[in-house]
Amino acid sequence: AQSVTQLGSHVSVSEGALVLLRCNYSSSVPPYLFWYVQYPNQGLQLLLKYTSAATLVKGINGFEAEFKKSETSFHLTKPSAHMSDAAEYFCAVSDRGSSNTGKLIFGQGTTLQVKP
Amino acid sequence: DADVTQTPRNRITKTGKRIMLECSQTKGHDRMYWYRQDPGLGLRLIYYSFDVKDINKGEISDGYSVSRQAQAKFSLSLESAIPNQTALYFCATSDISGGGDTQYFGPGTRLTVL
């Protein structure tokens, strides 16, 4: 069975600083991995996804994530934080085992605070 | 217009009442999902549907039921609402024919059960 763990429920950075949000996964099959962002009072928006092609994935708004099989990690980074990046971020893995339901298994979320 | 819409956006109800949350999509996707979001728990799957005749329970289906009225419509019902069903509910769609399993989410329904 697949699972996702996000390390740190709250992360605070200064504007212009590096953003690093951590995600580790467990999967018995080659995973498809996703990062979603949720702005206040909105639904989830796809930031980026890994589907077994390039291990460094670039997404929207300057975010990127690197798939590291040896570390079972898929950490999200952005070189320079903007105030507009303040939101909740979710890492997810797709159920692609024998049942192949396509359902997403989510981590518990990380709230990013950006300080001026 | 939004591809995935949910109605209502906010609802306050009382314990024991029957509630229906509705989801519609214009993306033409076959697969639809209902999740609930609770603080610190992320999103958890309630039900999912691969097509009109294929409906499946998720990890937290107790106390909920669903109806897939058409490819574009997927409703979630709480037959007798209880306070611990207070949460943010999201509908999502996906089309894995192109690979990638990407899901597209509606704006959510905030439900409060008093």
Side-chain angles (χ1 to χ4, degrees), chain B residues 6-22:
Chain B
Q6 293 182 234
T7 56
R9 294 293 311 278
N10 289 281
R11 182 72 184 267
I12 300 174
T13 190
K14 295 182 179 180
T15 297
K17 294 292 187 181
R18 184 179 188 275
I19 295 297
M20 179 180 287
L21 309 183
E22 299 186 336

Side-chain angles (χ1 to χ4, degrees), chain B residues 42-69:
Chain B
L43 280 75
R44 293 177 293 165
L45 184 64
I46 306 172
Y47 270 94
Y48 60 102
S49 170
F50 287 171
D51 63 37
V52 174
K53 297 182 179 180
D54 187 353
I55 293 176
N56 305 276
K57 293 183 177 180
E59 59 180 307
I60 55 164
S61 59
D62 287 348
Y64 301 94
S65 63
V66 291
S67 174
R68 185 82 183 266
Q69 301 95 324

Side-chain angles (χ1 to χ4, degrees), chain A residues 36 43-44 104 106, chain B residues 4 6 35 43 90-93 103-107:
Chain A
Y36 283 85
L44 278 70
L104 293 179
F106 284 87
Chain B
V4 184
Q6 293 182 234
Y35 294 89
L43 280 75
F90 286 104
C91 175
T93 74
Q103 292 193 11
Y104 300 88
F105 286 80

Side-chain angles (χ1 to χ4, degrees), chain A residues 6 9 32-34 36 38 41-46 49-51 88 90 94-96 99-109, chain B residues 9 31 33 35 37-38 40-45 48 50 57-59 88 90 94 96 99-108 110:
Chain A
Q6 291 182 239
S9 59
Y32 282 4
L33 294 159
F34 304 79
Y36 283 85
Q38 183 182 26
N41 299 314
Q42 295 187 27
L44 278 70
Q45 179 182 1
L46 180 68
K49 63 182 180 182
Y50 166 77
T51 57
E88 189 161 19
F90 292 95
S94 178
D95 175 23
R96 302 186 67 249
S99 59
N100 196 23
T101 64
K103 63 185 179 182
L104 293 179
I105 297 96
F106 284 87
Q108 62 270 51
Chain B
R9 294 293 311 278
R31 297 188 172 195
Y33 305 80
Y35 294 89
Q37 181 183 11
D38 298 279
L41 296 179
L43 280 75
R44 293 177 293 165
L45 184 64
Y48 60 102
F50 287 171
K57 293 183 177 180
E59 59 180 307
L88 189 54
F90 286 104
S94 73
I96 69 168
D101 307 351
T102 300
Q103 292 193 11
Y104 300 88
F105 286 80
R110 186 170 298 280

Side-chain angles (χ1 to χ4, degrees), chain A residues 49-61:
Chain A
K49 63 182 180 182
Y50 166 77
T51 57
S52 74
T55 57
L56 182 62
V57 181
K58 295 186 183 297
I60 61 172
N61 302 337

